[in-house]
Amino acid sequence: MIVFTLTNDVTDDVWVGTAREGLTPEARFKQLQQALPLGIDHAFYRELKVFGPHSYSVELFAVAEDRLELQQLVEEALDTYNGKSLVGITTVLPGATKAALSKPKPKPRPGVGAAPVSSAPASTTTKRTAKPAKEKLATGRTGSAARERAIKAGIEAEKAAMAAAKAKRAQEEADEMKRILASLDARGSTLSRR
């Protein structure tokens, strides 16, 4: 299970979605694009109609090993990018059955006045001006829960060591201040006797 982001390069809005094992973020985005003509009412589909699929950058955010980790990663991605959720977005109309979806679509027959059918995919490339890439911050995600725990444990140990060093420094400064005040106090008491 993966978590991915779709960034609208025009508005800088970030959509956070998920995909099951064996499905790449690009393939999931393709599924969403293919569902656009169905007229499903969702904010993402409305935005996709306005800006077109060429306006989106698809990126892998993280890989989850179980549903709990998937949920945590989605929440992290939403927080990180102040994103909008694609979790649960449908790619079929409500009431469509699996049997209806699995029926093969009839192929058009080339005939008089019909254009020949090509098996090559249609090119949807458009010329865009280069937009400066947003700097991505490292998230620390590794895709493995065990590695994540080891990294977090290392970070906690480092934080504890830094806190201990800071406390030691503060104690040393306090001790030095006591010595200085004691020596000043001793000097003051001898001066008053003179």
Side-chain angles (χ1 to χ4, degrees), residues 37-184:
L38 297 176
I40 298 170
D41 187 32
H42 191 278
F44 174 73
Y45 288 122
R46 290 189 294 273
E47 190 176 300
L48 187 59
K49 282 180 188 176
V50 172
F51 297 103
H54 61 277
S55 298
Y56 289 86
S57 301
V58 183
E59 292 184 17
L60 176 68
F61 181 76
V63 178
E65 293 183 6
D66 56 34
R67 290 206 179 274
L68 179 63
E69 185 178 17
L70 181 73
Q71 184 179 5
Q72 291 170 346
L73 291 172
V74 167
E75 289 173 9
E76 180 180 329
L78 289 170
D79 289 343
T80 301
Y81 297 110
N82 194 21
K84 302 174 186 176
S85 179
L86 287 174
V87 176
I89 190 170
T90 59
T91 54
V92 294
L93 286 174
T97 63
K98 288 186 179 182
L101 293 174
S102 64
K103 287 182 184 176
K105 295 179 183 176
K107 293 183 181 178
R109 292 186 224 159
V112 178
V117 177
S118 171
S119 62
S123 174
T124 59
T125 58
T126 58
K127 196 121 184 161
R128 292 191 293 162
T129 58
K131 188 173 181 182
K134 286 199 289 185
E135 183 180 329
K136 296 270 183 170
L137 299 176
T139 61
R141 287 284 170 206
T142 64
S144 168
R147 282 187 271 162
E148 289 289 324
R149 285 189 292 274
I151 290 171
K152 286 180 181 177
I155 291 171
E156 290 302 319
E158 190 174 330
K159 284 181 182 178
M162 289 184 344
K166 186 176 179 180
K168 182 180 177 188
R169 238 187 346 263
Q171 185 61 43
E172 288 172 352
E173 288 174 2
D175 291 342
E176 183 178 356
M177 187 59 73
K178 284 180 186 175
R179 282 193 302 272
I180 291 172
L181 290 174
S183 69
L184 288 174

